[in-house]
Amino acid sequence: MRPGWAAAAGSAAPSAAAQNPETPAYQALFPDLYAGEALRSTVNTDKVAYLTFDDGPSERTPEVLEILERYGVKATFFVTGRGDGQSLQWMRETAEAGHTLGMHSCTHDYSEIYASVEAFLEDCDGLSTLILKATGQRPQILRFPGGSVNAYNAGIYQELIAEITRRGFVYFDWNVSSADAAPGGPDAEAIAANVLDGGADLRRAVVLLHDSAGKAATVEALPAIIEGYQAMGFTFEALTPEVVPIIFGYAG
Ligand code: ZN
């Protein structure tokens, strides 16, 4: 059970925040930024791989969608806040194909979004509204840029995680990194090898990939990743709020 889980979500929270001087003022902000009913994580299945694509949508997104379609694989896309018509269309097509859209942040600007809990909530509020506009549904899951515990949110991550969880969102880190965002840009072969090596001994794999514009090598690696995981006995699922999350431990 994670901190704040039992108290997650509920439209009564803002008024409760106003009445209790111990309650942070940000709890009353952004009243639409809730994930709905509190959900208990119950899905904890063996040999399941969750492919996750961060930082899109971009021109790579339809290429990824085409490959996923070809293999009959569902995946998860943690999107950024691109509000142009083409990007909204890509988000819509992603959702319509049965994949999950989650929040990653509008700006992906670490110093901005991790300046305070309020700043992060404001960013998410904008992104939630954008995803609603694109797909007709608000997101229920998110991935923190840099992961839930990182060098940029060291001063606020416990408070931030508690508040995001109180609002009913489920966040996912990862336990397999493709390292496709590493400096120098590894080629497709290296990306596939990272993912296959990383998942070899796991019963559940949450795989970090990117579908931002510069990630052509990730697209190229995808068939080998899917076929390699299938050969290891994995099936593929999209993340939902019911999936027991893979999360980083709190730092010291
Ligand atoms: Zn990112």
Side-chain angles (χ1 to χ4, degrees), residues 17-134:
Q19 287 163 11
N20 184 351
E22 300 285 314
T23 305
Y26 54 67
Q27 288 193 4
L29 300 175
F30 314 114
D32 293 330
L33 186 62
Y34 281 82
E37 291 299 309
L39 293 165
R40 186 177 297 277
S41 300
T42 54
V43 177
N44 192 3
T45 313
D46 269 345
K47 279 298 176 195
V48 175
Y50 302 94
L51 300 180
T52 68
F53 296 89
D54 290 8
D55 297 359
S58 80
E59 304 90 304
R60 301 288 78 77
T61 308
E63 299 171 358
V64 169
L65 292 177
E66 190 276 322
I67 295 169
L68 296 177
E69 167 82 25
R70 196 193 317 156
Y71 285 93
V73 165
K74 301 300 183 208
T76 305
F77 294 76
F78 291 106
V79 299
T80 55
R82 298 170 199 278
D84 60 281
Q86 177 64 83
S87 296
L88 293 177
Q89 177 67 19
W90 283 328
M91 286 191 210
R92 191 173 306 119
E93 288 169 4
T94 302
E96 284 174 357
H99 307 294
T100 301
L101 283 187
M103 294 190 287
H104 193 42
S105 82
C106 264
T107 65
H108 210 278
D109 181 329
Y110 286 41
S111 58
E112 201 174 293
I113 61 176
Y114 293 135
S116 65
V117 175
E118 290 89 335
F120 191 88
L121 294 176
E122 183 173 12
D123 180 289
C124 279
D125 193 52
L127 184 53
S128 172
T129 302
L130 198 64
I131 292 172
L132 174 66
K133 185 179 167 190

Side-chain angles (χ1 to χ4, degrees), residues 190-211:
I191 291 169
N194 289 337
V195 175
L196 296 182
D197 291 349
D201 297 324
L202 299 178
R203 41 182 291 276
R204 301 197 313 135
V206 177
V207 182
L208 175 65
L209 300 151
H210 295 82
D211 65 329

